[in-house]
Amino acid sequence: SVSSWIRERIIFNAAYGAERVIAYLFIPRNVSPPYQTVVYFPGASARRQRSIQDMQLRIIDFIIRSGRAVMYPIYKGTHERSGIKGLDDINSRAFIDFQICLMNDLQRSIDYLETREDIDMTKLAYYGFSWGGAVGPIALALEKRFSLGIFLDGGLYSGQPPPEVNPLNFAPHVDVPLLMINGSKDFAFPLETSQMPLFELLGTQEEHKVHVLFDHGHATIAYWRNQVIREILNWLDRYFGQPSSH
């Protein structure tokens, strides 16, 4: 099904040090530009998965097939840029610096998208899975070029990261339409202590935020794939409209 899209590998300067950011832009073949675009932030397994072959394509492929472009930045510490140690001690300065690098990578990726005439910057969505759902409030609070958010299997961390990188403090500043999808039996981000507090904290108006629950643990898309896909595509259709085909 790779024929459904064109994959471009893009490299640009990071906003820190002398590093380079890699990003993969998936362009749908079946629609005309300018493209609605979804920027993806992966689950933490991206920090163990080295190659592009391991990219979390099953979590994004249906979006490209729906006629939307997907930007998959290779964030610091993930995929080809992985192998950095000592980033999990949430009380360390290294942890704070790492979060800042992640958001810099995200924002530089959007800077790149702005240079392209085939991208519709008025229809730019953030889509975070697991880890990407957990850091999503930071992304959406900082980056005002997003006009929509989707958190799949996200929630608030059980530990308390330093205040300057704690998603808890960013959630009230999120104001775009926001879809949260979770498993009601998720042990990574429990319903009562993690998912619901995040949903309540989000600054989005009540009628524009929705929390969909499936009877499952973590990784709902593995077990409720068709239903999860329907929720996500309906959400994109609701706010962005259906992509126009050739």
Side-chain angles (χ1 to χ4, degrees):
S1 66
V2 175
S3 58
S4 327
W5 61 71
I6 301 159
R7 191 189 84 203
E8 299 179 13
R9 186 173 189 263
I10 299 143
I11 302 178
F12 45 88
N13 289 328
Y16 47 86
E19 292 191 44
R20 304 273 278 167
V21 181
I22 303 160
Y24 293 92
L25 181 61
F26 296 86
I27 301 281
R29 289 186 188 270
N30 57 337
V31 296
S32 307
Y35 305 107
Q36 300 179 21
T37 305
V38 174
V39 183
Y40 181 62
F41 196 112
S45 56
R47 287 164 61 181
R48 300 185 299 275
Q49 299 165 337
R50 293 300 161 127
S51 74
I52 169 104
Q53 270 64 40
D54 294 329
M55 285 171 64
Q56 299 170 15
L57 281 178
R58 277 180 57 76
I59 304 174
I60 61 170
D61 58 1
F62 61 92
I63 295 176
I64 315 165
R65 287 200 195 97
S66 78
R68 296 169 172 100
V70 171
M71 182 71 156
Y72 192 141
I74 305 301
Y75 301 90
K76 187 179 178 76
T78 70
H79 298 304
E80 292 110 302
R81 302 178 68 206
S82 65
I84 308 168
K85 298 279 182 277
L87 298 177
D88 292 314
D89 175 8
I90 62 173
N91 297 309
S92 67
R93 180 70 224 181
F95 180 83
I96 296 174
D97 291 341
F98 179 47
Q99 307 304 307
I100 293 168
C101 290
L102 295 173
M103 292 302 138
N104 279 332
D105 291 348
L106 179 70
Q107 293 190 292
R108 290 306 298 269
S109 299
I110 298 171
D111 292 346
Y112 168 78
L113 291 174
E114 274 196 314
T115 69
R116 294 182 60 123
E117 293 182 356
D118 58 350
I119 301 296
D120 184 350
M121 291 299 294
T122 69
K123 294 179 177 175
L124 190 68
Y126 175 89
Y127 173 35
F129 166 59
S130 188
W131 179 33
V135 299
I138 305 179
L140 288 171
L142 289 178
E143 182 45 80
K144 292 307 180 185
R145 288 172 289 186
F146 286 122
S147 47
L148 187 71
I150 300 163
F151 299 163
L152 174 61
D153 292 320
L156 293 175
Y157 294 117
S158 53
Q160 284 293 318
E164 59 266 52
V165 293
N166 190 340
L168 189 83
N169 296 323
F170 291 83
H173 301 284
V174 173
D175 55 7
V176 297
L178 199 291
L179 170 66
M180 272 180 66
I181 299 176
N182 290 94
S184 58
K185 301 187 177 85
D186 189 335
F187 290 108
F189 297 107
L191 177 62
E192 304 283 341
T193 57
S194 172
Q195 300 170 27
M196 288 167 64
L198 172 57
F199 187 74
E200 291 302 313
L201 277 169
L202 291 166
T204 302
Q205 292 174 318
E206 293 295 328
E207 63 269 28
H208 295 296
K209 61 178 182 177
V210 174
H211 190 195
V212 177
L213 288 171
F214 291 100
D215 183 22
H216 192 66
H218 204 57
T220 46
I221 196 165
Y223 295 85
W224 296 88
R225 183 170 177 82
N226 293 341
Q227 294 88 339
V228 168
I229 288 173
R230 192 176 313 127
E231 293 289 345
I232 290 173
L233 295 184
N234 284 349
W235 192 252
L236 290 165
D237 288 348
R238 174 177 165 183
Y239 289 97
F240 289 173
Q242 293 188 338
S244 51
S245 50
H246 288 313

